[in-house]
Amino acid sequence: MRLLLVEDEKRMAQALCEILRLEKYEVDHYADGNSGLDAAESEIYDIIILDVMLPGMNGYEIARKVRQKGIRTPILMLTAKSELDDKVTGLDSGADDYLTKPFMTKELLARLRALVRRNINMLDGNLSFGDISLDTNTSTLSCTGNGQSVRLSEKEYRILEYLIANQGQILTREQFALKIWGVESDAEYNNVEVYMSFTRKKLAFVGAKAEIKAVRGMGYELRCGNV
Ligand code: CA
């Protein structure tokens, strides 16, 4: 899971980055509103945490602009206790949930898990699409039609996870490179193609009807074979 944190208070941001990385989130941190908005619009994140008071542009404006662009990434707003109307304003602006500072780590992690689940239809630790199911604990891919299963490598798992989370959308090579390797470069574009072919072989191995379609000149999309 790749997470975007936009927070200008240094100590708070540092502590959050540490906690979230321990929980295996890949965290990118920005300390001002404008770079936070740019990052949010890259659409490579599974979840976005926004502080309200930020230099440049506040968290509400970021959320509003992100939603205006049709980006549905779950947003959790962090608000100060003194800002009483924040809850309403936050949800109005397109945030999915809010948390009042100071908060307990446990509470934050629970909210994040709930938002991720809501976004990707996760049932009992499984992600599913068509006739395939992905066990998020063991990185096992199964075909629900015939019960066949296979373990995925880390990159293969992340490719499928990203595709399932964004079903119905075409994802570009650039998005995969950024999302999974963290950088855009020719070398990473080659990696995307190589790992995409490994992932396709795993889908074929379990006999899934679901497949990764290459959309010429655009990117990749997950489709269910019979559609
Ligand atoms: Ca702040």
Side-chain angles (χ1 to χ4, degrees):
M1 291 281 144
R2 202 171 193 95
L3 184 151
L4 170 66
L5 171 66
V6 190
E7 164 67 82
D8 60 322
E9 286 159 57
K10 243 187 177 161
R11 277 171 54 194
M12 177 72 155
Q14 249 170 18
L16 282 176
C17 283
E18 256 174 54
I19 291 164
L20 294 166
R21 284 177 185 141
L22 272 176
E23 292 294 315
K24 305 272 190 282
Y25 289 97
E26 288 182 54
V27 186
D28 291 336
H29 166 239
Y30 293 90
D32 72 276
N34 293 307
S35 47
L37 175 65
D38 282 347
E41 289 181 343
S42 69
E43 292 192 68
I44 60 165
Y45 296 100
D46 301 294
I47 197 152
I48 299 172
I49 301 179
L50 294 177
D51 183 32
V52 173
M53 296 309 291
L54 291 163
M57 184 185 303
N58 70 41
Y60 301 139
E61 289 175 69
I62 297 176
R64 209 168 289 127
K65 286 187 196 272
V66 164
R67 293 294 183 248
Q68 274 167 3
K69 287 216 156 176
I71 300 168
R72 295 176 307 161
T73 313
I75 297 176
L76 175 68
M77 298 278 269
L78 302 179
T79 69
K81 217 167 199 164
S82 56
E83 301 157 322
L84 278 177
D85 291 334
D86 279 4
K87 178 181 163 185
V88 179
T89 321
L91 296 174
D92 277 355
S93 67
D96 298 275
D97 200 1
Y98 71 96
L99 199 54
T100 309
K101 289 181 187 177
F103 49 80
M104 309 275 283
T105 303
K106 256 169 72 179
E107 176 77 21
L108 170 72
L109 296 175
R111 299 288 185 94
L112 291 177
R113 279 194 298 269
L115 284 178
V116 170
R117 264 202 307 276
R118 210 197 292 174
N119 194 36
I120 54 185
N121 304 321
M122 196 149 78
L123 289 171
D124 308 324
N126 287 313
L127 284 169
S128 56
F129 174 84
D131 64 344
I132 58 169
S133 165
L134 199 55
D135 187 316
T136 57
N137 297 313
T138 61
S139 302
T140 303
L141 166 71
S142 311
C143 175
T144 52
N146 59 22
Q148 295 270 26
S149 66
V150 67
R151 274 291 274 278
L152 300 180
S153 73
E154 189 231 339
K155 301 291 187 222
E156 294 162 354
Y157 172 82
R158 298 203 47 208
I159 284 175
L160 263 188
E161 179 190 54
Y162 191 33
L163 282 163
I164 293 175
N166 294 282
Q167 45 192 271
Q169 288 181 46
I170 296 164
L171 300 171
T172 65
R173 206 169 58 152
E174 290 76 10
Q175 284 175 310
F176 280 102
L178 256 180
K179 171 87 181 175
I180 292 160
W181 282 268
V183 268
E184 279 186 272
S185 70
D186 287 342
E188 308 312 342
Y189 296 158
N190 288 334
N191 271 333
V192 171
E193 278 164 26
V194 169
Y195 279 91
M196 201 59 76
S197 102
F198 290 163
T199 311
R200 282 185 165 137
K201 282 183 188 145
K202 295 280 172 82
L203 285 169
F205 178 81
V206 297
K209 289 199 182 99
E211 54 186 344
I212 300 171
K213 287 267 186 203
V215 185
R216 194 172 296 173
M218 294 181 73
Y220 301 94
E221 187 187 9
L222 201 54
R223 295 213 192 129
C224 204
N226 48 9
V227 189

